[in-house]
Amino acid sequence: MICDFCSGPDPAWRYPAVSFYDSFGGRSVEDWLACEACHQMIAASDRNGLARRSLCAPGVQMAVGLLGRAFALDYCRDLHTRFWQARRGDAFRMSA
């Protein structure tokens, strides 16, 4: 398992969510997982910090290379807005 925000290993938190589509028509299916660092940003509502951290994810890095950093950052912000709208309840720590 990986963090759905930064693709880091060993996510520790699960965010209940309903499925939704991103701006390209890709489907996000239900719950999202977060590493400790991304969870702290979500808990603090640090959306800009979370979007910047998400730029390190491999799929986003490909977009940075093809379309530029500004486009990729806007995509992350939009995706995270959709995540916030899809959330259903508080995060809970996952068992090891």
Side-chain angles (χ1 to χ4, degrees), residues 19-47:
S19 299
F20 65 91
Y21 290 93
D22 71 8
S23 57
F24 291 107
R27 188 164 188 233
S28 171
V29 179
E30 297 181 350
D31 297 357
W32 278 46
L33 305 180
C35 67
E36 192 64 42
C38 289
H39 168 71
Q40 293 301 321
M41 290 181 187
I42 295 164
S45 293
D46 183 2
R47 294 184 185 210

Side-chain angles (χ1 to χ4, degrees), residues 13-89:
W13 294 89
R14 179 180 297 275
Y15 283 84
V18 295
S19 299
F20 65 91
Y21 290 93
D22 71 8
S23 57
F24 291 107
R27 188 164 188 233
S28 171
V29 179
E30 297 181 350
D31 297 357
W32 278 46
L33 305 180
C35 67
E36 192 64 42
C38 289
H39 168 71
Q40 293 301 321
M41 290 181 187
I42 295 164
S45 293
D46 183 2
R47 294 184 185 210
N48 287 325
L50 186 64
R52 286 190 305 274
R53 181 173 172 79
S54 296
L55 289 176
C56 69
V60 177
Q61 279 294 303
M62 188 175 7
V64 169
L66 293 172
L67 302 168
R69 187 177 192 280
F71 179 88
L73 192 57
D74 285 345
Y75 171 78
C76 289
R77 287 181 178 131
D78 178 72
L79 182 63
H80 296 163
T81 295
R82 293 167 193 255
F83 155 75
W84 251 277
Q85 293 168 344
R87 278 182 63 183
R88 297 296 181 262

